Amino acid sequence: MATLADRQTSLFLASALADVFRGVPTLAIGANSPIPAAAALLAQHREPSMRVSILGSPAHNPYTNGGGELFDYAAEGRLACFVLGALQIDGAGNLNLVSVGDYDQPTVRYPGSFGSGLLYYTVPRVVVFREDHSPRALVERVDFVSATGTSPPGVYRPGGPAYLVTGKAVFRFDREHAQFALQSVHPGHTLDEVMAATGFHFACADGVPAVTALPSEQDCRWLTGPIADALLGGYPEFARLLTGD
Amino acid sequence: MPESVPLDALVGRIRDGQSLAVPSDVGGVSMAATRALIRRGVRRLHLIGVPTSGLQADLLIGAGCVDLLEASAVSLAEHGVAPRFTDAIRSGAIQMRDATCPAVHAGLVAAEKGVPFMPIRGLIGSDLLRHRPDWQVIDNPLAAEPDPIVLIPAIRPDTVLFHAPLADRAGNVWVGMRRELMVMAHAARETLVTVERIVDTDLLADPQRAPAVVPSLYVSAVALAPKGAWPLALHGEYAADDECLRAYAKAARSAQGFRDWLDGYLG
């Protein structure tokens, strides 16, 4: 049963994601990602020139050359921004979408790496999104590397992580030092809480951290109106959650 | 010319131990043929999800039909993890070749071009690559500077199996926007298709339709199977049966629950 809190959280996270999509010319969202899909459409409402594609939503799928086209589009360098989720994320930006424990006898098995093995390397601004901000998800070292956070010199690597957005905070990724830096803490959460819930070391400026911006009234009108309507085809339950029906 | 055959004859062409490539759950899955395969008791399949799989892989794995699975992911999408897949990986009942979506597409493109491999970007330094000794890294011979790049071997499935909206009497199959089905058919030794409808017109005669037609050149057999993707969706025809998928996701959490569900499904 959807609650008011679920609805408020979804609106907030969609806005936090849209904030880190700002300024990209092209943005794609993978399958089964309702909050990122709403965020992408919100970013497009804010910046109408942004080209947005959403896999799994026929109305937002401009590709005509089959399921492989998105990867070709990204490999060519045409895709500026993509969102990836992961089972584990570590402090060096490595992603694990596969398993926990020994690969051959895992304690937890997830679906698999999807397109991360290419997209994380070729898309300049990858936003890693994991709502569960806990030491279980944000670990010191991932158990399986679906895609590395950085690459050594000499490896073709125009892409990689740019931001990590969780249910508690937003981090920027510093490629030079291969580590995350805290950008803002969500309203209602504290730096101490974020530190306790993060299994890896991250950079943090002195003083009280910035607070992640709330969605504006206009954002909420877009999300609960035209964006919810647009998502009805691909995400009917989520669309109803946004409208509060 | 491909034959139009009954469903059981179509799946009879798939033999134990073969490699079988199938589309993702939204890409036109022949669930009708999957059910017939399970009923027949096919064994030791090398199943390839292009580039992922879901309900179809979970059913085949749970029913003991699969030895080796190659896919970028297996899940029931919004209905959660694929429980029989997860269980089989944890117990070691099947061998897994983890992939990434563009690698699966690249392997099929290599096969359709008749070349031994296709290079792709990414992957370097990952455990995906480390666990795939068949994927090799070479230094790009055309670059002035060192440039390591991964080679994906051609994927040439023994059989490709999918479900499409329509075919004509000559065995031409219209796949609409699902052009990866075209690549799969080009890459496979044998392509087996179930369809919603068989029409009397020539699908290649209509220039609006022809670019999305898999020509009969590549098609081995077609079987009529209305609602053949159920309970999955068929693009442009019908939506997924979410109630059925939800019930499956719940039942298949236990081996016994899966067997009970499967008994009902096989009828």
Side-chain angles (χ1 to χ4, degrees), chain A residues 188-208:
Chain A
H189 299 278
T190 65
L191 177 59
D192 284 349
E193 185 193 343
V194 167
M195 291 183 98
T198 308
F200 56 73
H201 171 79
F202 57 88
C204 183
D206 292 337
V208 180

Side-chain angles (χ1 to χ4, degrees), chain A residues 88 96 99-108 143-144:
Chain A
Q88 294 178 325
N96 174 9
S99 55
V100 173
D102 181 60
Y103 176 67
D104 293 316
Q105 284 180 308
T107 54
V108 177
D143 290 8
F144 181 97

Side-chain angles (χ1 to χ4, degrees), chain A residues 78-166:
Chain A
R78 293 177 188 268
L79 183 60
C81 185
F82 192 79
V83 179
L84 281 170
L87 165 62
Q88 294 178 325
I89 301 122
D90 72 23
N94 299 307
L95 297 186
N96 174 9
L97 286 79
V98 170
S99 55
V100 173
D102 181 60
Y103 176 67
D104 293 316
Q105 284 180 308
T107 54
V108 177
R109 170 72 207 201
Y110 255 45
S113 300
F114 291 98
S116 63
L118 174 98
L119 296 174
Y120 210 43
Y121 291 77
T122 57
V123 177
R125 191 187 300 183
V126 176
V127 176
V128 181
F129 176 54
R130 175 84 202 229
E131 197 174 339
D132 171 25
H133 188 143
S134 70
R136 199 174 55 122
L138 308 186
V139 298
E140 192 172 347
R141 176 76 197 170
V142 294
D143 290 8
F144 181 97
V145 179
S146 291
T148 64
T150 57
S151 296
V155 173
Y156 182 81
R157 190 70 198 257
Y163 295 96
L164 166 62
V165 177
T166 73

Side-chain angles (χ1 to χ4, degrees), chain B residues 150-247:
Chain B
V150 179
L151 304 184
I152 305 297
I155 298 172
R156 185 144 197 246
D158 291 321
T159 305
V160 154
L161 171 66
F162 62 83
H163 185 71
L166 61 154
D168 65 17
R169 299 279 166 207
N172 299 303
V173 176
W174 183 74
V175 296
M177 295 281 273
R178 310 302 324 192
R179 294 187 64 86
E180 64 277 11
L181 299 174
M182 191 90 76
V183 180
M184 289 164 73
H186 294 170
R189 292 189 172 85
E190 178 147 308
T191 294
L192 306 177
V193 187
T194 58
V195 293
E196 292 291 312
R197 298 177 292 284
I198 295 178
V199 295
D200 289 323
T201 53
D202 175 3
L203 290 173
L204 289 174
D206 175 356
Q208 298 215 2
R209 196 133 14 214
V213 171
V214 179
S216 62
L217 294 170
Y218 302 95
V219 179
S220 307
V222 175
L224 187 63
K227 285 285 267 176
W230 177 85
L232 297 173
L234 184 62
H235 186 65
E237 296 278 332
Y238 42 85
D241 181 345
D242 281 317
E243 202 177 317
C244 177
L245 293 174
R246 234 188 320 269

Side-chain angles (χ1 to χ4, degrees), chain A residues 151-240:
Chain A
S151 296
V155 173
Y156 182 81
R157 190 70 198 257
Y163 295 96
L164 166 62
V165 177
T166 73
K168 296 186 197 295
V170 178
F171 299 86
R172 263 178 300 107
F173 189 72
D174 173 353
R175 279 186 201 169
E176 196 188 336
H177 299 100
Q179 67 171 0
F180 286 102
L182 186 67
Q183 174 165 298
S184 64
V185 174
H186 297 345
H189 299 278
T190 65
L191 177 59
D192 284 349
E193 185 193 343
V194 167
M195 291 183 98
T198 308
F200 56 73
H201 171 79
F202 57 88
C204 183
D206 292 337
V208 180
V211 178
T212 313
L214 289 167
S216 68
E217 282 181 27
Q218 176 66 72
D219 289 338
C220 291
R221 277 196 296 274
W222 278 328
L223 285 165
T224 57
I227 292 174
D229 288 347
L231 292 174
L232 259 177
Y235 297 106
E237 284 183 29
F238 181 69
R240 282 191 285 274

Side-chain angles (χ1 to χ4, degrees), chain A residues 32 63-68 71 98 103 106-107 109-118 121 144-146 148 154 156 237, chain B residues 72-75 77-78 85-86 89-90 98-102 105 121-128 131 146 148 177 179-180 246:
Chain A
N32 205 25
Y63 305 108
T64 56
N65 200 26
F71 307 105
V98 170
Y103 176 67
T107 54
R109 170 72 207 201
Y110 255 45
S113 300
F114 291 98
S116 63
L118 174 98
Y121 291 77
F144 181 97
V145 179
S146 291
T148 64
Y156 182 81
E237 284 183 29
Chain B
S72 304
V74 180
S75 87
E78 62 266 44
F85 159 74
T86 308
I89 294 283
R90 290 176 57 188
D98 267 291
T100 186
C101 304
H105 291 298
R121 288 301 185 185
L123 287 170
I124 291 176
S126 69
D127 287 332
L128 271 181
H131 286 280
M177 295 281 273
R179 294 187 64 86
E180 64 277 11
R246 234 188 320 269

Side-chain angles (χ1 to χ4, degrees), chain A residues 60-72:
Chain A
H60 306 97
N61 191 339
Y63 305 108
T64 56
N65 200 26
E69 185 178 352
L70 171 69
F71 307 105
D72 295 342

